[in-house]
């Protein structure tokens, strides 16, 4: 589906917007559809960058041109030639982009009514987005800190894109698209990443809003089909660990982290700490990834060396299993009844885990060798070595500490499984506007 809207000249510039669903390119055997003319050149450099995030993570092809476009638009002055009139410009782009996307969204929705939620995890930001149908569609954009600015230093702009312009853009896009859009910064200290996380969250949320659950779509979240095996052995004076991890041969996961009818992934672990074994079964069972783990450690000292080294070994194995990440969803959010986790296979390791322990003791449960601090440290080690960005939070006031830890591990596993799921529309490509996750 294709939209083209060209405005009348506004204060000596003209806005042209085109949009197409990448799915159309995919259905046309990936290559027969002609590329959109133009590219992204709004005259506000950082705005171009954010629209590029929208097309990359939303599986859209966009062309947004504000004429006149100089012969060499990629200089500081040329790229920001419209920075002085960006508020009026952003409103017009938002309006016309909404009109271009509206028929695409309507066709992909097919009459479904449910809304969609997504979160984008970066190492220095976490944004939340909600999109839903409404009789009076409006946008709420809450990216600023209590002082009214962006990030740690309360910036009022990123590059030459003002925060107020971002609000204007979404406030215009929402009624034109016919949908309510809610954006919120959950946490973030870096102004660039606060804004980038918000646009990525919106892009992913819009894609989910269009595609719906996997059983309702043809492409989104096709289960990983390629079989893969990764092995790792670690031997130190403190621990001896042997790991074999496999994908594609057991339980298959869709991009929502739900299981397919393909049997059960074998998760066979023996660490010498029964409580830790249970958490690992929850993690890898949730991901639908097969695991055989054997290890011995100096438990006569404490649990630290063994739990940390298991996290390191499992993280390295997962990184090997992921390969070049081409064709993978890359990001996924799992919202469980007791825990919420969001994962990005970003190659930028970061972990924030908020378990919210309910008892004061150091042990996970009375008589257990496993300590609470090592549950959190395991996740940090696992995220670091697998080079993923991970945010996970236990929800609610009830449940004991073991149940909370288990819920956290299962949520992380399902988010990992969703991020690992194949999307045929991304075949041969990584889900990044840079074209790579290696840098």
């Amino acid at each position: 589906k294709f939209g083209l809207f060209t405005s009348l000249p506004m204060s000596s510039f003209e806005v042209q917007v085109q949009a197409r669903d990448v799915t159309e390119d995919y259905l046309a055997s990936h290559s027969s559809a002609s590329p959109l003319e133009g590219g992204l050149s709004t005259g506000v450099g950082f705005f171009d960058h954010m629209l590029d995030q929208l097309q990359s993570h939303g599986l859209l092809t966009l062309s947004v041109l504000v004429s006149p476009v100089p012969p060499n638009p990629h200089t500081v002055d040329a790229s920001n030639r419209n920075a002085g009139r960006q508020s009026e410009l952003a409103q017009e782009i938002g309006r016309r982009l909404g009109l271009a996307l509206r028929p695409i969204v309507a066709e992909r929705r097919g009459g479904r009514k449910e809304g969609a939620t997504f979160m984008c995890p970066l190492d220095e930001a976490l944004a939340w987005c909600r999109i839903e149908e409404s009789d009076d569609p409006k946008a709420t954009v809450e990216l600023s800190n209590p002082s009214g600015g962006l990030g740690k230093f309360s910036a009022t702009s990123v590059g030459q894109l003002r925060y107020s312009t971002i609000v204007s853009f979404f406030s215009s896009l929402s009624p034109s698209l016919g949908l309510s859009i809610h954006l919120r910064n959950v946490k973030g200290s870096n102004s660039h990443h606060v804004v980038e996380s918000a646009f990525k969250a919106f892009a992913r949320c819009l894609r989910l809003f269009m595609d719906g659950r996997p059983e309702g779509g043809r492409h989104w979240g096709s289960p990983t089909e390629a079989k893969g095996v990764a092995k790792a052995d670690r031997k130190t004076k403190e621990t001896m660990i042997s790991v074999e991890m496999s994908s594609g041969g057991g339980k298959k996961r869709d991009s929502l982290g739900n299981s397919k009818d393909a049997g059960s992934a074998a998760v066979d672990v023996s660490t010498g700490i029964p409580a830790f074994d249970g958490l690992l079964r929850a993690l890898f069972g949730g991901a639908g990834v097969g695991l055989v783990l054997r290890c011995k450690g100096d438990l006569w000292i404490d649990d630290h060396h063994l739990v940390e080294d298991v996290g390191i070994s499992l993280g390295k194995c997962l990184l090997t299993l992921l390969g070049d990440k081409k064709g993978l969803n890359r990001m996924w959010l799992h919202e469980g009844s007791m825990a919420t986790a969001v994962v990005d296979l970003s190659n930028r390791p970061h972990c924030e885990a908020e378990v919210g322990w309910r008892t004061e003791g150091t042990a996970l449960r009375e008589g257990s060798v496993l300590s609470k601090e090592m549950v959190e440290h395991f996740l940090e080690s696992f995220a670091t070595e697998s080079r993923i960005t991970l945010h996970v939070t236990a929800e609610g006031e009830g449940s004991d500490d073991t149940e909370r830890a288990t819920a956290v591990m299962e949520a992380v596993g399902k988010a990992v499984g969703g991020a690992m799921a194949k999307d045929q529309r991304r075949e041969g490509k990584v889900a990044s506007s840079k074209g790579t996750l290696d840098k």
Side-chain angles (χ1 to χ4, degrees):
K1 296 303 172 184
F2 185 81
L4 170 61
F5 298 88
T6 305
S7 74
L8 295 173
M10 297 167 36
S11 304
S12 76
F13 63 80
E14 188 176 76
V15 178
Q16 183 185 80
V17 175
Q18 302 176 63
R20 185 166 60 217
D21 187 355
V22 166
T23 300
E24 299 303 320
D25 296 343
Y26 173 78
L27 291 175
S29 300
H30 304 281
S31 59
S32 62
S34 61
L36 298 183
E37 297 179 0
L40 301 173
S41 185
T42 65
V44 185
F46 198 85
F47 196 17
D48 293 348
H49 183 42
M50 292 302 97
L51 292 175
D52 196 19
Q53 301 301 323
L54 173 55
Q55 69 174 356
S56 175
H57 288 271
L59 284 167
L60 300 166
T61 303
L62 303 179
S63 175
V64 182
L65 292 179
V66 179
S67 301
V69 178
N72 182 10
H74 300 300
T75 65
V76 173
D77 290 341
S79 292
N80 293 284
R81 63 191 181 277
N82 294 321
R85 47 188 178 180
Q86 60 181 277
S87 180
E88 177 188 17
L89 181 65
Q91 290 179 36
E92 183 67 8
I93 291 173
R95 185 176 76 85
R96 293 191 173 276
L97 183 59
L99 291 174
L101 290 174
R102 193 165 186 162
I104 297 172
V105 173
E107 181 180 5
R108 288 283 166 256
R109 291 279 285 171
R112 287 180 287 105
K113 298 296 183 182
E114 73 275 11
T117 303
F118 205 88
M119 297 172 75
C120 172
L122 299 181
D123 48 357
E124 295 176 296
L126 177 65
W128 172 90
C129 182
R130 173 73 181 172
I131 298 176
E132 54 197 1
E133 295 184 352
S134 172
D135 294 333
D136 183 21
K138 296 179 180 179
T140 57
V141 181
E142 301 173 350
L143 305 183
S144 61
N145 60 28
S147 300
L150 296 169
K152 181 178 180 180
F153 296 100
S154 297
T156 57
S157 62
V158 183
Q160 296 191 38
L161 178 64
R162 295 192 294 267
Y163 174 44
S164 59
T165 302
I166 299 169
V167 177
S168 295
F169 168 72
F170 282 106
S171 296
S172 179
L173 175 67
S174 177
S176 179
L177 187 55
L179 301 170
S180 286
I181 301 168
H182 308 285
L183 274 171
R184 177 165 51 89
N185 177 44
V186 178
K187 60 182 74 172
S189 59
N190 181 284
S191 58
H192 180 116
H193 279 175
V194 167
V195 176
E196 183 176 319
S197 179
F199 271 83
K200 286 181 177 179
F202 168 67
R204 293 276 178 164
C205 194
L206 181 63
R207 189 73 253 176
L208 178 59
F209 185 81
M210 287 193 286
D211 289 340
R213 298 180 64 85
E215 56 265 29
R218 292 167 289 178
H219 313 292
W220 180 259
S222 300
T224 300
E225 296 175 354
K227 294 184 179 181
V229 176
K231 298 180 180 181
D233 293 299
R234 180 180 177 88
K235 184 176 181 180
T236 71
K237 290 183 178 179
E238 299 163 345
T239 60
M240 293 179 59
I241 299 171
S242 175
V243 181
E244 181 173 316
M245 195 178 294
S246 59
S247 66
K251 183 188 295 182
K252 295 182 177 181
R253 314 300 304 187
D254 60 36
S255 69
L256 294 178
N258 299 316
S259 62
K260 295 287 186 179
D261 294 330
S264 297
V267 180
D268 182 6
V269 298
S270 178
T271 66
I273 306 177
F276 190 31
D277 293 349
L279 297 185
L280 293 177
R281 283 191 289 269
L283 173 60
F284 286 91
V289 172
L291 176 66
V292 178
L293 168 67
R294 296 289 182 268
C295 61
K296 295 180 180 180
D298 53 4
L299 294 178
W300 57 87
I301 297 177
D302 66 3
D303 60 339
H304 186 103
H305 296 148
L306 184 140
V307 174
E308 179 181 58
D309 285 7
V310 168
I312 291 171
S313 299
L314 293 178
K316 287 182 176 180
C317 253
L318 180 61
L319 182 63
T320 300
L321 200 64
L322 293 173
D324 59 14
K325 303 173 187 173
K326 290 181 178 179
L328 303 187
N329 282 341
R330 177 182 161 180
M331 294 183 188
W332 201 252
L333 165 69
H334 175 76
E335 295 180 289
S337 60
M338 291 176 59
T340 295
V342 59
V343 163
D344 182 2
L345 310 179
S346 61
N347 210 33
R348 295 180 178 179
H350 183 78
C351 176
E352 294 192 27
E354 300 175 8
V355 182
W357 303 112
R358 290 293 176 256
T359 59
E360 295 182 356
T362 59
L364 180 62
R365 62 173 180 247
E366 186 176 355
S368 174
V369 176
L370 184 62
S371 60
K372 297 173 189 172
E373 67 180 6
M374 288 311 299
V375 174
E376 298 176 0
H377 189 65
F378 165 81
L379 289 172
E380 293 170 0
S381 299
F382 177 68
T384 297
E385 296 301 330
S386 60
R387 302 193 65 80
I388 65 173
T389 302
L390 165 64
H391 292 258
V392 59
T393 304
E395 310 287 348
E397 296 296 326
S399 73
D400 62 31
D401 287 338
T402 299
E403 290 176 339
R404 295 180 76 82
T406 302
V408 162
M409 290 294 187
E410 184 176 5
V412 171
K414 289 190 174 183
V416 168
M420 290 176 65
K422 287 268 189 179
D423 188 327
Q424 296 173 358
R425 295 163 298 187
R426 298 191 186 276
E427 184 178 351
K429 300 178 181 179
V430 294
S432 171
S433 61
K434 295 192 294 286
T436 179
L437 291 174
D438 293 333
K439 301 176 182 179

